[in-house]
Structures are given as structure tokens and as C-alpha cells.
Amino acid sequence: MQEATFLILTALADGSQHGYGIISEVTEISGGRVRLRAGTLYTALDRLRADGLIEVDREEVVDNRLRRYYRLTQEGGNRLAAEAARLQANANAALKRLNPSLGVI
Amino acid sequence: MSESTGLEQAYRRLLACYPRSFRQENGAEIIAVLLATARAGQRRPGIAESVDLIKGAARMRMGLSRSPRPVLYAVRLMYLGALAELGVLITVVLTEGSIRAAVLQRNPQVTTGQLGYLKTIFTVDIVGSCIGIAVWILLAWANGRGYGVARIVAIVVCAISGVLLLGDVADGTALYAPAALIAGGVMWLIGLAATVLLLQKQSWAYFSRQAAPTPG
């Protein structure tokens, strides 16, 4: 799973978000390292919807502008959990192997 | 005209690069997000966001946005095949004169009829390469969109190309032109790799999903 996909799914893990909300959440989750642009975001959202990992939760009109909220599907939640576990296992393995005497950790 | 209206129109022009169906479904929402993320006083789209939008549109136009990874790689390989075919076409066009000169130098008694036959061979090669490029691009586009027929055509074309290539090797025809044999072999391998990817489990699921009738 690509990092942008992982971060978008993570942004939706604790509730539905609209496009701008996802961009803000991803920036926050990544500590400002990843700043999604609209083209990248909507290409990813289109793909995630097609894969059944997210779905539209609801739509609102705010200041005459459409705001569409997205949420994780059950399958999306499962995939995110599996990917998070995989990343955590890899990180744990790396940290365990690093020699503390080198002063790395 | 206010700054935001001018900026919005500029964004709309960029969004025009996207497929109509995608624009109709997501256009208003994307515009809202673009305006929300614009800097205060911004009058026109930045270079990076313009590139990002055009890149996204290109991915959608090429059918690369919704397809799973094996189909994505297969489509990329098919575009690579089109590029390789273009290389062959350019090579044929550029070397026609030198080959004709070499033939005349080795055999000054060559007849007009024989030269006409040589010209016909080049013409067939050029037309064949043009058709090949079109087929590669069409198959890439159609497979990216998940058209089941396109996948079947890709498999059939790969099988026929393989048989023809093996036939040329078996009867020794291909051995007269090693460069052509190598080019044909490389393109066939590209097609074979794409075909294998199109037969992966994820690809089957994608093509089945695209073939299913849309609810409503």
C-alpha cells in the first residue's frame, strides 16, 4: 500500500471526512511531511471507492459549495488494520536489531 | 472579475482535462477543495497544483486510476510496447535509404522490379508498425478501463505473435535480420508479461467488477 493511500485511510479511521478535511488530517498525521494536492487526493479517492475501501457517507452544501464526506468501509478498515500491523512488525524488527550501543536508539 | 472567480475559472479550465463523467461527479467538490487550499490573494493556479491536476487527468484518461496494480503494470507495459514499436518505425524510416544504397552497391545489376519489391517491404513494415502502435495504445486504454473483450484480444494477439515469431525462427527467415528478430522478441516478451499480469487474480476481479451492471 502506498504511503498516500495509507494516510488517507488513516485520516478516515476515526470518522468521516470531506476532501479538505482529509488533506488537513493527512498533513497533521504525517507531521507536515505529506501535503496532498487535490489532483492526487481525488485520483486516490476515486480508486479507493472503486476498490470498495471507502464510500460516500453524506453530502452537504456549505456556502454554495458541495462538501462530500467519505468514510471507511469494513473492508477498508480491515486493510488499514492489516497494513498498520505489517508496518508495526517491520518497525519493531528494525528497532530490535539496531544496536543501542551505536547510539541510534 | 473578483480574484476568486478568476481563480475558479482557471481551475475549471484545468479540470476540463478530466473525463466528463468524473468531472460531473466530482468537479464541484474538487473546485471547492482547490479554492479552500488556495493562498489568500491567489489569482491563478500554481505550477505544482496544475501539474498535479494534469497528471491526475492523464492517469484517468489512460485508464490508470481505478485499475488494480497488476492491470496498472500491464497497461504501462502496453504503452512501453507502443514506444518500442515507435522505435522500430523510426529505425525503418531512417535506414531505408542506407539499405537501398547498400543493395545497389552490392548488386549494381538490381532490376527496377527488385527495387520496387524492396520498397514494398519497407512500406509493409511502416504500415505494420503504425498498426502495431495503434493496437498497443488501444489495448492499453481498453484494458485499463476493464473491458473484458480487450483482455481477450490482448491474449489472442500475444498468442498469434508468439506463433508467428516461432515460425520465423523455425524456418530461418528471422535469422537473416537479427535486429528485427531481437525487436520482435522484445515486443513479444513485453506482450507476454502484460498478458500474464492480466491473468492475475486481482485482474480477474477487476474485469468481473467492470463487467457487472451498474446498480440503478
Side-chain angles (χ1 to χ4, degrees):
Chain A
M1 187 182 286
Q2 289 184 343
E3 188 182 21
T5 306
F6 179 80
L7 291 171
I8 290 170
L9 294 180
T10 303
L12 297 173
D14 59 355
S16 63
Q17 287 282 356
H18 52 80
Y20 182 67
I22 295 172
I23 290 175
S24 305
E25 286 280 312
V26 165
T27 306
E28 190 185 323
I29 293 165
S30 66
R33 192 172 47 80
V34 177
R35 292 176 187 275
L36 285 180
R37 295 188 185 280
T40 304
L41 173 68
Y42 281 92
T43 306
L45 290 179
D46 188 55
R47 185 188 175 98
L48 291 171
R49 280 175 73 183
D51 288 346
L53 301 186
I54 64 168
E55 61 191 3
V56 174
D57 183 38
R58 64 186 190 279
E59 291 180 355
E60 290 175 0
V61 176
V62 180
D63 297 333
N64 290 323
R65 299 278 181 200
L66 177 68
R67 193 172 272 188
R68 187 176 284 150
Y69 286 78
Y70 300 89
R71 69 177 172 213
L72 278 187
T73 60
Q74 184 68 46
E75 192 186 346
N78 291 342
R79 286 279 292 276
L80 177 62
E83 183 66 8
R86 189 185 70 81
L87 291 172
Q88 189 170 40
N90 285 351
N92 287 343
L95 292 169
K96 197 174 167 186
R97 284 167 180 249
L98 282 167
N99 188 346
S101 65
L102 292 174
V104 178
I105 54 171
Chain B
M1 186 187 293
S2 71
E3 281 172 358
S4 69
T5 308
L7 184 61
E8 183 173 340
Q9 283 183 352
Y11 282 139
R12 284 191 190 283
R13 280 195 289 274
L14 283 169
L15 280 181
C17 300
Y18 282 81
R20 184 192 293 265
S21 57
F22 179 81
R23 268 197 332 262
Q24 284 173 342
E25 192 180 348
N26 301 291
E29 188 190 350
I30 298 176
I31 291 286
V33 170
L34 286 165
L35 291 172
T37 52
R39 297 184 312 276
Q42 186 174 339
R43 301 175 71 158
R44 60 176 71 92
I47 292 173
E49 62 183 343
S50 300
V51 169
D52 182 59
L53 286 169
I54 291 167
K55 211 166 75 179
R59 282 174 66 87
M60 293 212 168
R61 292 272 179 199
M62 288 194 281
L64 299 176
S65 60
R66 292 188 172 190
S67 43
R69 210 145 291 274
V71 176
L72 187 74
Y73 291 147
V75 169
R76 284 180 180 169
L77 279 172
M78 287 176 184
Y79 283 118
L80 180 68
L83 272 179
E85 194 75 62
L86 180 66
V88 170
L89 174 65
I90 291 169
T91 307
V92 169
V93 170
L94 291 180
T95 56
E96 183 179 352
S98 57
I99 289 176
R100 181 187 288 267
V103 168
L104 281 169
Q105 193 181 14
R106 281 191 184 186
N107 186 7
Q109 278 82 42
V110 69
T111 64
T112 313
Q114 286 170 322
L115 283 176
Y117 179 64
L118 189 65
K119 176 75 182 168
T120 305
I121 291 174
F122 277 114
T123 306
V124 168
D125 276 351
I126 289 168
V127 172
S129 290
C130 290
I131 292 172
I133 292 168
V135 169
W136 277 115
I137 292 174
L138 192 65
L139 285 177
W141 174 83
N143 276 289
R145 275 169 173 70
Y147 295 134
V149 176
R151 186 166 63 145
I152 294 167
V153 172
I155 295 165
V156 170
V157 168
C158 180
I160 292 173
S161 307
V163 169
L164 290 176
L165 189 67
L166 286 176
D168 283 350
V169 172
D171 66 17
T173 315
L175 302 178
Y176 287 111
L181 176 63
I182 291 168
V186 166
M187 276 189 281
W188 181 69
L189 285 174
I190 291 173
L192 181 66
T195 304
V196 168
L197 287 165
L198 291 176
L199 292 172
Q200 300 289 303
K201 193 177 162 190
Q202 278 178 280
S203 306
W204 279 98
Y206 174 65
F207 281 96
S208 304
R209 201 167 55 232
Q210 294 299 96
T214 312

